[in-house]
């Protein structure tokens, strides 16, 4: 998975390991990238909730 960071003006490559409920034939690169992006979106929402409502300090 590659990402461009404008602040660094460089491309960065990251290896991501994931467990999915798909067969090798179903797990296309497009599907895997979408799953990772969806997971990151969910993590961002959790971060907002944690920092806004101090949920992780309970």
């Amino acid at each position: 998975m590659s990402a461009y960071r404008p602040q660094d003006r460089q491309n960065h490559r990251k290896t991501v390991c994931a467990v999915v409920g798909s067969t090798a034939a179903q797990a296309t690169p497009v599907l895997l990238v979408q799953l990772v992006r969806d997971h990151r979106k969910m993590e961002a929402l959790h971060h907002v909730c944690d920092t806004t409502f101090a949920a992780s300090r309970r």
Side-chain angles (χ1 to χ4, degrees), residues 1-2 16 20 22-37:
M1 179 180 212
S2 296
V16 178
V20 297
S22 302
T23 66
Q26 294 170 327
T28 63
V30 173
L31 174 66
L32 295 176
V33 168
Q34 187 62 47
L35 290 172
V36 170
R37 287 182 178 159

Side-chain angles (χ1 to χ4, degrees), residues 1 5 7-8 14-15 26 33 36 41 45-46 57:
M1 179 180 212
R5 289 184 170 175
Q7 66 271 22
D8 297 338
K14 179 186 267 189
T15 301
Q26 294 170 327
V33 168
V36 170
K41 288 177 191 176
L45 291 173
H46 283 281
R57 293 186 217 139

